[in-house]
Amino acid sequence: MGNHTYELLLALGVLSPFVSFWLLVFFGPRLGKPLAGWVGVVLGMGVPLALSSYVLVNWLGEVESGQAAALTASALRFQWAMIGPIAIDIGVKLDSLTVAMYFMVTFIAFWIFVFSVGYMSGHSDEVAGKSKYHRFFAYLSLFAFSMLGLVVSSNLLFLFIFWELVGLCSYLLIGFYFHQRVPQYAQMKAFITNRVGDFGFLIGLMLVYFQLGTLDLDEAAVVFAQQYATQTGIFASTFTMFGWSLATIMGVGLFCGAMGKSAQFPLHVWLPDAMAGPTPVSALIHAATMVAAGVYLVARVFRLMTPEALMFVAVIGCLTLALMALVAMVQTDIKKCLAYSTLSQLGYMIFGLGCGAWIAALFHLITHAFFKAMMFLGSGQVIEGCHHEQDMRKMGGLIRKMPFTGITFLIGVLAISGFGIAGLEIGGIKFGLGGFFSKDEILAVAYTRSFEWEEGDFSKHQEQGDGHGGHGAIDRSDENDRIRLASFGQQESSNLEVLASGTQADHGHAVEHGAENPHSTNEKHSGHGTAANAGIFANTPKLPKWMFWLAIITAYITPFYMMRCWWMTFMGKPRDEHVHEHAHEVPLMYVPLVVLAVGTFVASYFLFRPLIADASHVGSSAAMVMAIDGTAHTEAVHHAHVWLQYGVGGSFVVGFLVAIAIYGRGLALADRLKRVAGPIHTLLERKYYIDEIYDLVWVKGCVALAYVARFFDTYVVDLIFNSLASVTERLAAFSGLIIDNQGVDGVVNGVAATSLDIGDRIRRPQTGRIRNYVLITAGIAAAVIIGFLIWGPDVGGVPIAVAGL
Amino acid sequence: MLTIGLTHYLIVAAVLFCTGLFTMITKRNAIGILIGVELVLNSANVNLVAFDRYLGSERMDGQIVALFAIVLAAAEAALAVGICINVYKNLATIDVDSASQLQG
Amino acid sequence: MLMRFSRKQIVLLIGVMLVGVSLASPVALADAGDALAMDQTGVTSAEQLGGLIEAFVFYFVAGATVVCALGVCFTKNIVRMAVWLFGALASVAVLYFLLAANFLGAIQLIVYAGGTLVLLIFGVMLTSKSPWARFEPSKWETVLAIFVCGALLAGLCMVLCSATWPGVEGTVPGVSVEAIGRKLLSVYVVPFEIAGVLLMIVLVGAAHMARQEQD
């Protein structure tokens, strides 16, 4: 592989869907119904998938041989523009996280594209009598372009541009059936809610721009660390707001963007409504990729976060994961149920990042993307098969009609519930699915931060590290890394072992590099400065205990509502004959399901965990991640971790049993419970009345404000102007009669009459005969010359001054 | 008088100019006026070339400008003849004095 | 159309053309003088001879020019006017040769005599019921025109004669066509192109204006 091959391949993969987009926009109608879709599949996602697979395989090799860090450091950058003194680069952020995310997005999106072809063949694609089929795939391609661009952006500005583009695509796709009322409102809601978050994002961006003086992700991190070390720049500011320093506000501002896009409480309201869009869209955008962009953003700007900002992140994440899980328990719409489960899981990721579990959160992001996309596609298949019925109360017993869908959906349920048996190993591989590993790890870190952590713990780790001659901190965390890899792969498939050693190698390289020239220009793109960054986390506070308890209780709720959802849909007796009769499966739709199910297994174990761990060395505040994430595996905490494994591992058993106990025999018991729970149930069913509150505060508030303004306008402003007007009117009447009619008009009329008279006289010489004009002109010329000769200045016989000759 | 200088040429040009002017004034035929215009243009060209010959530093610019003038004169003649034909079509005569609709 | 020319007119045209050629022939003489003067620089007699020949040719051609121009002025007949004009144009071409502007002289002959004049004659044929049609100006108009033009000419001549000019006297080498071409396509390339475009527009415009209405 050449020096910049990866960047170029990734960039090519970004552009391919863009080409597909324009192709479909202009030639889509001519390509017709199935063909336009296949163009989207092949060009929009097939090419990027091929490229990303190639990159992934080779990148694993690079990581293995220790070349990855060097490649990351020397990634391509082109100067795109100068804004003031600050250069805006366009480039590819090339590291393991990018590669992992890129592959995840392309892989999932490709199968969703395939699914879409099947889905659209069964759905009406006509609006006002015109086919919008090609438009669907054009939007999907545009989304693919924007999402991939977001993933590879090396620059916050470009990240923001693509960020807004995915928002636009989300808007367009939610409202794909824009002739109906519900999608219209849903798309507006999504867009406006996202604007609220993006406002914060913009504030964050401006602070980065003005305080750090760069928008490049790596550069900004270096500058941030340096400014902390010297207490200059953003840290010199004494500005505070809500008790936050400017640096914290920057972090919180950037996180606000993530709150909007990743639908964190209290900006989560748009995501459930976004389910009005076509199901593949829900799977792709509102479950797997776009909503994960917020998490991805926080991971990318992790190095710009202060402990206070991270605490805010953790609080928001924690609230989201708990509140949304509760709402998911009472949903009856299959897509809404999945939407709230997505919200809850996104909360987990954000919470993980807030705790410092960088690796675990991103690992959860990727495993979640696989199984959640799969479940959404499954729900799409169900809805499609059931004649557009989304109410789970009318389903039931569908497993016989839809075996593939039912089984893959069950795999998703198991994965999200953290299915696995702690301590059980089959063939050297630990027995469990994606959620089992990732959620468990987030909780372990949360446990550490809540119970084992003392303020200043972090600096202790730093000191220990210093004892090992500067490399210690990292070396130690390498140990941890190996422990972690071992604990997840346990009997090390040789692949993992190699990877682990690979990370070690490139690690050392990065640190050495940083130690040698901490202030050199090389730093610009090398993405360390992580060691210097450590200082800011020295006083990372302890996490409140309630956060951990909320997280672990939610871990028990998750299996309950997921199993409830599955059971109501697929098991039991059919509750609606009409729906049951109609139910069927389409190969084009269940093949992606099966592939994604397999992907869920693979993603749980192999590729991604080591890749993200590798990325964490350069992609986050490595020292902090190591220290916090790593602490979970020190001897003292390891015990707690093992205990947690059983705790979390057991959660799904409890959740499943409760769900089956309640819903096993139809809905009778559930109805009775509903009556018992009464107001609580209603509170959950109405989603804590948040929509109503927003309506009351913002919408009604606006309207009320408008009424006040109108009142003011009518009775105060208008009064003033009306009285002014009447005074003016009187004045005008006076001036009109006396001054105007007699004075001004007299002058004007006089002038007009005079002009007319003069004009009448002047027109006589205008004979219209061209020869007369020539004669007059010549006569005047002759008169001038002769006049000049006779009366002109006497210049000594040279009347014509030949000036300049 | 035997040494021919700039003034000689300029006087010839002046004569050409004045005859052209006279032609324009006295001829009622539109084509006749056009012929007068050609004479005037020629006098200008003679001036240009003469100045170029006697005063020019590189002795070319004047010629080239004259060249352009000839080209434009040709174009102008073509258009003018077109106009004459149109006038003739509309008024059934080519007497410019009868084409005086624009009089005040 | 040519068929409508009488034999007399054709003879007249050919005769005028012969006159033009004979007017142009002194150029060769002048060039010879130039060459003589150039070859034997410093030889006074040759220079004087060249100067003499040049003066003779100039007066001859200038006279022809003035006569032809006056002929244009005072002819009532439009076709004869065109013929006189040809004479004037040809004489001016010879003046160009005398001014060492050989290329321009050639162009003058080709474009004016070959193009513009023919165009004028076509115009005459297309616009008059009879080629010999006359429109007389009023008497007082003619008198006034003579007065004005005479005054202008007198004024101009007085100015010209009283002015002194710096600059080159005597003979100068002609400018080669190559040099003109180079300059035309380098320094003057933009006006050159614009002129080209203009010609094309004129071509289209004239064709449009003159075309027969096909209703």
Side-chain angles (χ1 to χ4, degrees):
Chain A
M1 297 290 278
N3 228 356
H4 295 301
T5 321
Y6 295 113
E7 292 98 303
L8 295 176
L9 287 179
L10 292 180
L12 196 65
V14 174
L15 290 177
S16 171
F18 198 51
V19 173
S20 153
F21 167 68
W22 288 112
L23 210 62
L24 286 171
V25 164
F26 287 117
F27 302 108
R30 250 176 272 171
L31 290 173
K33 185 146 181 173
L35 199 58
W38 287 112
V39 167
V41 169
V42 173
L43 207 54
M45 227 50 263
V47 173
L49 176 62
L51 291 173
S52 76
S53 311
Y54 182 71
V55 168
L56 179 75
V57 169
N58 283 286
W59 184 259
L60 287 174
E62 300 286 355
V63 171
E64 193 178 325
S65 64
Q67 296 298 310
L71 282 170
T72 302
S74 67
L76 269 189
R77 297 279 195 284
F78 298 104
Q79 186 177 317
W80 178 62
M82 291 288 292
I83 304 179
I86 295 170
I88 304 294
D89 284 346
I90 184 165
V92 173
K93 178 105 177 88
L94 180 69
D95 65 2
S96 297
L97 177 59
T98 304
V99 173
M101 277 290 284
Y102 199 97
F103 179 74
M104 182 276 276
V105 171
T106 48
F107 183 80
I108 292 177
F110 177 75
W111 290 107
I112 292 176
F113 273 47
V114 173
F115 181 90
S116 300
V117 176
Y119 181 86
M120 289 309 283
S121 70
H123 270 69
S124 153
D125 53 36
E126 291 200 340
V127 174
K130 285 179 81 177
S131 173
K132 297 281 177 276
Y133 183 78
H134 68 284
R135 196 181 274 194
F136 184 73
F137 287 94
Y139 291 163
L140 280 183
S141 297
L142 183 62
F143 172 76
F145 161 68
S146 333
M147 187 65 209
L148 293 177
L150 194 155
V151 169
V152 300
S153 291
S154 67
N155 189 298
L156 270 172
L157 185 68
F158 274 95
L159 206 147
F160 183 68
I161 291 169
F162 286 117
W163 180 269
E164 293 299 336
L165 268 176
V166 289
L168 170 74
C169 296
S170 161
Y171 169 83
L172 291 172
L173 283 164
I174 293 170
F176 181 69
Y177 295 115
F178 58 80
H179 56 297
Q180 294 164 6
R181 273 273 174 230
V182 179
Q184 271 181 25
Y185 287 132
Q187 71 178 151
M188 275 194 273
K189 192 171 178 180
F191 205 69
I192 292 168
T193 316
N194 266 303
R195 289 288 78 65
V196 177
D198 289 346
F199 184 65
F201 193 2
L202 264 181
I203 292 175
L205 267 186
M206 286 177 208
L207 281 172
V208 172
Y209 173 78
F210 284 112
Q211 298 292 332
L212 304 185
T214 174
L215 285 171
D216 189 271
L217 281 165
D218 296 332
E219 228 173 299
V222 173
V223 174
F224 189 73
Q226 276 171 1
Q227 288 189 351
Y228 179 78
T230 53
Q231 287 294 311
T232 52
I234 195 166
F235 290 100
S237 164
T238 53
F239 177 84
T240 56
M241 191 190 252
F242 316 123
W244 285 333
S245 69
L246 200 59
T248 306
I249 291 171
M250 184 176 83
V252 170
L254 291 172
F255 173 62
C256 275
M259 273 169 76
K261 198 111 320 185
S262 282
Q264 295 298 296
F265 179 85
L267 297 181
H268 65 278
V269 289
W270 66 270
L271 187 57
D273 286 8
M275 297 302 139
T279 307
V281 172
S282 307
L284 178 62
I285 301 185
H286 305 117
T289 54
M290 189 192 81
V291 289
V295 181
Y296 180 75
L297 172 73
V298 177
R300 278 296 184 210
V301 299
F302 195 80
R303 288 174 289 172
L304 305 180
M305 294 277 186
T306 59
E308 293 80 22
L310 282 178
M311 185 55 88
F312 179 74
V313 173
V315 169
I316 294 291
C318 188
L319 285 175
T320 311
L321 74 89
L323 294 175
M324 297 307 123
L326 290 174
V327 176
M329 284 164 61
V330 299
Q331 290 300 318
T332 53
D333 182 320
I334 184 167
K335 280 180 77 178
K336 285 273 168 71
C337 182
L338 285 172
Y340 279 101
S341 120
T342 305
L343 282 171
S344 176
Q345 298 306 312
L346 287 169
Y348 263 112
M349 297 165 206
I350 294 287
F351 176 61
L353 284 172
C355 293
W358 197 87
I359 302 171
L362 286 172
F363 184 42
H364 192 53
L365 159 64
I366 287 182
T367 53
H368 171 261
F370 276 94
F371 56 67
K372 189 50 72 67
M374 175 177 75
M375 280 195 282
F376 259 111
L377 294 187
S379 80
Q381 168 77 79
V382 168
I383 294 164
E384 173 70 26
C386 293
H387 215 263
H388 309 292
E389 182 56 63
Q390 302 199 5
D391 194 338
M392 289 190 290
R393 284 170 300 190
K394 295 190 179 164
M395 297 171 184
L398 289 175
I399 189 87
R400 274 168 298 246
K401 291 285 189 122
M402 306 178 160
F404 285 104
T405 314
I407 288 165
T408 51
F409 204 99
L410 181 62
I411 291 169
V413 169
L414 292 175
I416 197 175
S417 307
F419 175 77
I421 297 170
L424 177 63
E425 288 155 22
I426 299 170
I429 293 174
K430 228 176 166 188
F431 185 72
L433 282 171
F436 177 68
F437 302 123
S438 47
K439 214 189 287 179
D440 163 56
E441 200 179 345
I442 293 174
L443 287 169
V445 173
Y447 176 79
T448 316
R449 285 285 306 277
S450 303
F451 292 94
E452 307 286 330
W453 190 262
E454 292 303 329
E455 203 153 314
D457 250 14
F458 189 79
S459 31
K460 256 186 275 166
H461 291 303
Q462 282 301 113
E463 281 157 25
Q464 281 174 9
D466 288 342
H468 290 75
H471 294 208
I474 310 290
D475 283 349
R476 237 175 53 77
S477 40
D478 267 337
E479 263 171 52
N480 292 332
D481 211 335
R482 240 175 311 152
I483 293 169
R484 224 176 302 145
L485 284 171
S487 76
F488 287 107
Q490 213 71 324
Q491 297 302 321
E492 75 287 337
S493 75
S494 61
N495 214 353
L496 288 187
E497 185 60 23
V498 172
L499 270 175
S501 56
T503 52
Q504 247 174 337
D506 83 60
H507 219 203
H509 171 79
V511 172
E512 248 169 27
H513 199 48
E516 271 164 23
N517 38 6
H519 297 288
S520 75
T521 47
N522 274 354
E523 266 181 9
K524 183 175 175 186
H525 299 312
S526 61
H528 37 69
T530 45
N533 211 355
I536 195 170
F537 294 112
N539 297 319
T540 303
K542 199 166 167 173
L543 216 58
K545 290 195 174 52
W546 59 265
M547 284 174 136
F548 170 72
W549 289 119
L550 271 183
I552 193 135
I553 289 168
T554 308
Y556 278 82
I557 296 175
T558 310
F560 167 72
Y561 67 69
M562 287 318 300
M563 181 45 91
R564 165 182 174 271
C565 173
W566 186 77
W567 196 276
M568 277 173 89
T569 309
F570 291 104
M571 300 303 279
K573 292 198 184 83
R575 283 183 288 273
D576 189 313
E577 278 309 314
H578 171 68
V579 168
H580 194 70
E581 283 303 306
H582 191 270
H584 63 281
E585 277 183 322
V586 183
L588 211 52
M589 290 165 82
Y590 66 68
V591 166
L593 287 178
V594 174
V595 172
L596 285 174
V598 173
T600 305
F601 277 110
V602 175
S604 307
Y605 290 102
F606 303 112
L607 301 174
F608 294 111
R609 184 61 173 71
L611 260 184
I612 294 167
D614 175 61
S616 74
H617 301 319
V618 284
S620 66
S621 296
M624 175 179 180
V625 172
M626 295 304 149
I628 297 175
D629 223 355
T631 338
H633 300 275
T634 56
E635 276 312 309
V637 186
H638 197 62
H639 180 68
H641 187 199
V642 170
W643 173 81
L644 263 174
Q645 273 190 345
Y646 286 103
V648 178
S651 70
F652 78 92
V653 182
V654 179
F656 284 0
L657 286 179
V658 173
I660 294 169
I662 296 177
Y663 292 95
R665 307 193 165 196
L667 301 177
L669 185 56
D671 280 341
R672 213 178 314 150
L673 277 174
K674 184 174 160 184
R675 273 196 296 281
V676 172
I680 297 173
H681 187 274
T682 317
L683 179 70
L684 293 179
E685 199 167 33
R686 305 307 299 268
K687 307 154 230 163
Y688 312 112
Y689 294 100
I690 286 173
D691 277 340
E692 283 80 359
I693 291 169
Y694 281 179
D695 185 59
L696 193 69
V697 176
W698 301 118
V699 181
K700 296 275 185 348
C702 267
V703 173
L705 203 64
Y707 272 112
V708 172
R710 195 184 76 168
F711 180 84
F712 183 78
D713 217 37
T714 315
Y715 294 100
V716 182
V717 180
D718 279 8
L719 189 71
I720 295 170
F721 280 104
N722 283 342
S723 43
L724 268 176
S726 73
V727 171
T728 314
E729 205 180 344
R730 304 248 164 97
L731 271 172
F734 169 76
S735 73
L737 279 175
I738 310 295
I739 302 173
D740 222 36
N741 280 2
Q742 288 165 24
V744 180
D745 280 8
V747 173
V748 172
N749 287 340
V751 168
T754 316
S755 316
L756 199 67
D757 192 45
I758 294 171
D760 198 43
R761 283 156 204 252
I762 286 179
R763 70 179 263 271
R764 293 203 186 136
Q766 308 284 318
T767 55
R769 295 181 184 175
I770 199 154
R771 298 181 307 111
N772 295 7
Y773 298 160
V774 175
L775 181 62
I776 292 164
T777 314
I780 290 171
V784 166
I785 289 176
I786 290 169
F788 185 78
L789 284 173
I790 296 172
W791 292 292
D794 184 15
V795 282
V798 189
I800 305 288
V802 194
L805 283 173
Chain B
M1 284 299 276
L2 275 180
T3 314
I4 307 301
L6 179 57
T7 315
H8 296 77
Y9 286 99
L10 295 188
I11 287 174
V12 174
V15 172
L16 272 179
F17 182 84
C18 289
T19 48
L21 205 60
F22 183 83
T23 315
M24 281 159 76
I25 295 169
T26 53
K27 297 289 181 280
R28 286 173 62 185
N29 190 325
I31 304 282
I33 290 181
L34 197 55
I35 287 172
V37 172
E38 298 296 342
L39 278 180
V40 170
L41 279 168
N42 262 279
S43 86
N45 280 354
V46 170
N47 267 11
L48 279 170
V49 179
F51 276 120
D52 185 47
R53 154 76 172 75
Y54 287 100
L55 301 181
S57 53
E58 221 181 336
R59 300 183 49 253
M60 226 186 297
D61 297 327
Q63 287 190 35
I64 289 175
V65 174
L67 204 56
F68 280 120
I70 291 176
V71 170
L72 296 187
E76 168 256 330
L79 269 190
V81 168
I83 291 171
C84 291
I85 292 173
N86 257 6
V87 168
Y88 179 71
K89 269 186 207 158
N90 287 328
L91 305 176
T93 177
I94 198 161
D95 180 7
V96 287
D97 285 2
S98 56
S100 60
Q101 280 93 334
L102 286 179
Q103 79 178 75
Chain C
M1 287 299 223
L2 271 173
M3 298 306 285
R4 286 173 61 183
F5 274 106
S6 66
R7 188 176 298 161
K8 188 180 160 191
Q9 288 159 3
I10 293 170
V11 169
L12 191 66
L13 270 177
I14 292 170
V16 169
M17 284 178 192
L18 284 176
V19 169
V21 173
S22 64
L23 282 175
S25 60
V27 178
L29 210 58
D31 276 354
D34 276 354
L36 206 61
M38 295 269 291
D39 284 348
Q40 303 172 353
T41 22
V43 180
T44 325
S45 62
E47 264 186 10
Q48 277 179 344
L49 183 65
L52 260 175
I53 293 173
E54 195 194 346
F56 169 74
V57 173
F58 171 76
Y59 283 119
F60 180 77
V61 176
T65 310
V66 172
V67 168
C68 289
L70 290 174
V72 171
C73 280
F74 294 105
T75 315
K76 300 275 186 279
N77 184 301
I78 187 77
V79 178
R80 287 202 182 122
M81 243 167 76
V83 174
W84 280 119
L85 177 68
F86 177 79
L89 296 179
S91 316
V92 169
V94 179
L95 283 181
Y96 290 158
F97 288 124
L98 283 178
L99 283 166
N102 300 348
F103 177 63
L104 200 61
I107 292 297
Q108 167 90 358
L109 279 177
I110 293 166
V111 175
Y112 265 118
T116 312
L117 201 68
V118 172
L119 192 73
L120 290 177
I121 291 171
F122 268 95
V124 171
M125 292 189 308
L126 287 171
T127 53
S128 42
K129 295 185 175 98
S130 141
W132 315 107
R134 299 169 182 205
F135 313 100
E136 298 295 331
S138 59
K139 270 273 187 319
W140 67 267
E141 228 175 19
T142 314
V143 172
L144 197 62
I146 289 174
F147 174 73
V148 166
C149 291
L152 193 62
L153 183 62
L156 284 173
C157 286
M158 279 162 74
V159 171
L160 290 174
C161 291
S162 58
T164 52
W165 309 93
V168 193
E169 295 289 335
T171 55
V172 290
V175 179
S176 73
V177 179
E178 187 194 342
I180 290 183
R182 284 193 185 284
K183 193 140 195 181
L184 209 53
L185 286 180
S186 57
V187 181
Y188 290 96
V189 69
V190 175
F192 183 75
E193 292 297 331
I194 293 173
V197 173
L198 179 90
L199 282 180
M200 197 192 67
I201 294 169
V202 165
L203 190 71
V204 174
H208 173 77
M209 278 200 303
R211 102 198 133 95
Q212 205 69 38
E213 293 294 333
Q214 309 242 334
D215 293 326

